[in-house]
Amino acid sequence: MPSANDPRRALRRNIYAVLQMAKAAATWAPGINAISQRRSRGSDNHLYCYAVWLRHLCLAHKNGLCTAPPEHVAELGPGDSLGVGIAALISGAESYRAFDVVAYANTDRNLAVFDGLVDLFARRADIPGAEAFPRMKPLLENYAFPHEVLTAAHMERNMAPARIARLRRAVETGDASVIGYTAPWRGQSLGGAEIDMIISQAVLEYVDDIAGVHAELSHWLKPSGFVSHEIDFKCHGFANEWDGHWRYSNAVWKFMKGRRLYTINREPYSVHERALTTAGMQIVGAQFHPQPSNLQRTDLTSSLAHLTEQDLTIASACIQARKF
Ligand SMILES: C[S@@+](CC[C@H](N)C(=O)[O-])C[C@H]1O[C@@H](n2cnc3c(N)ncnc32)[C@H](O)[C@@H]1O
């Protein structure tokens, strides 16, 4: 494999960057933005929501954060449906609140996902693994239905026809005591200390005010409540190498972001780690998904000099942290 400084590799990198700049320029054309970010993709599929919810729940159980599904669950950035939260409700949560900057979800899609999820829980289906979602993280050691956290007695109660009918009606009518959806969310605060678990999947790489969001989420949690965040630090197509976005100067990066509704923030793992600690959270589990770095420290743009050696190889991570 040619070295990172190989001239042909550098040329390919530059051509790719120019194409991305052209794409960014197109986001200024009227209507293009609205078309390209009309869907978030992922949570419109019930299997996807089942996999995301159960993977976070199983990890939380393994990390000693819960012995059963938490009662009050919140999610940041649910995307196309509220399916992850609906999965939480079906598995025993009493309430779920979602917050997104764009209102992607709608009642029809939520109901379709609801019905698909009920079927999966009724069959105690295994958690979809790499064959269904090759790139999905976090990973588990075991993808069998998690009877240790969703016990037979617990599931019998949860799946009682009257409870399922009540939940479906709550999704249909938007009963705020069971299911809440704030979108567009512009950082509005909850009263505080209401939530047991906050989940996010592929969201925190987009938020601009990382310290502010972690502080706000910590404020929402009850004492001993916890967060579970899967964060993707890769370039999201802005470069032809997973870490190529960390090379771009601030000016190039600003141009590349164009006029999209939201774009990745380019911040690495250590920034979240610091922000969580400052927000009064204790990290109890961090599942890293490493990739070899393509960068020398001298390749980093100066505003990203704070990236640690470890950051350079963390392509994504699932961070679970408890309020203390
Ligand atoms: C890649 S999608 C992931 C959606 C969903 N979690 C999934 O797994 O399919 C990113 C989501 O984050 C939301 N988002 C972006 N910036 C956000 C912010 N500052 N606060 C809350 N949500 C945000 C987007 O609107 C979108 O729904």
Side-chain angles (χ1 to χ4, degrees), residues 39-44 48-49 52 75-81 84 99-104 136 181 185 187 200-209 213 236 261-263:
R39 294 285 286 269
S40 77
R41 297 200 178 82
S43 65
D44 49 353
Y48 176 93
C49 298
V52 168
E75 181 179 12
L76 208 60
D80 286 338
S81 90
V84 168
F99 302 83
D100 205 323
V101 288
V102 183
Y104 288 116
M136 182 183 281
Y181 185 35
W185 179 64
S200 78
Q201 177 78 11
V203 176
L204 289 189
E205 61 263 39
Y206 294 104
V207 308
D208 289 326
D209 179 8
V213 167
H236 288 62
L261 294 173
Y262 51 87
T263 332

Side-chain angles (χ1 to χ4, degrees), residues 8 15 23 35 42 59 65 70 91 112 121-122 138 167 174-175 179-180 186 195 208 226 245-246 265 291 299 303 312:
R8 279 162 305 172
I15 292 173
K23 230 163 127 181
I35 293 168
L59 267 191
L65 289 165
S91 33
F121 278 107
L167 286 180
D175 177 350
I179 187 162
R186 303 194 201 289
I195 304 293
D208 289 326
F226 68 93
H245 55 321
W246 288 334
N265 51 39
Q291 285 200 26
D299 295 327
S303 63
L312 292 177

Side-chain angles (χ1 to χ4, degrees), residues 167-318:
L167 286 180
R168 195 176 196 284
R169 222 168 20 253
V171 171
E172 192 169 17
T173 59
D175 177 350
S177 65
V178 178
I179 187 162
Y181 185 35
T182 305
W185 179 64
R186 303 194 201 289
Q188 301 94 308
S189 197
L190 278 181
E194 296 175 23
I195 304 293
D196 298 293
M197 172 185 187
I198 300 173
I199 182 171
S200 78
Q201 177 78 11
V203 176
L204 289 189
E205 61 263 39
Y206 294 104
V207 308
D208 289 326
D209 179 8
I210 292 176
V213 167
H214 283 299
E216 184 59 32
L217 298 189
S218 166
H219 177 64
W220 294 357
L221 288 171
K222 291 180 189 168
S224 298
F226 68 93
V227 295
S228 186
H229 300 301
E230 174 63 37
I231 314 175
D232 183 350
F233 304 107
K234 298 195 289 301
C235 72
H236 288 62
F238 282 102
N240 68 338
E241 289 165 341
W242 77 267
D243 47 3
H245 55 321
W246 288 334
R247 288 176 188 271
Y248 299 139
S249 69
N250 281 357
V252 168
W253 181 242
K254 188 167 174 213
F255 186 88
M256 272 195 184
K257 285 169 40 169
R259 207 170 60 99
R260 294 173 174 90
L261 294 173
Y262 51 87
T263 332
I264 52 168
N265 51 39
R266 286 209 293 179
E267 291 295 358
Y269 170 75
S270 63
V271 169
H272 291 273
E273 185 182 52
R274 220 173 12 254
L276 278 161
T277 309
T278 307
M281 305 289 299
Q282 179 195 16
I283 297 181
V284 295
Q287 184 185 95
F288 297 134
H289 310 112
Q291 285 200 26
S293 170
N294 297 296
L295 304 172
Q296 312 285 327
R297 288 210 74 82
T298 47
D299 295 327
L300 289 172
T301 188
S302 55
S303 63
L304 292 174
H306 56 277
L307 267 74
T308 65
E309 285 306 307
Q310 188 191 33
D311 285 335
L312 292 177
T313 60
I314 301 181
S316 64
C318 185

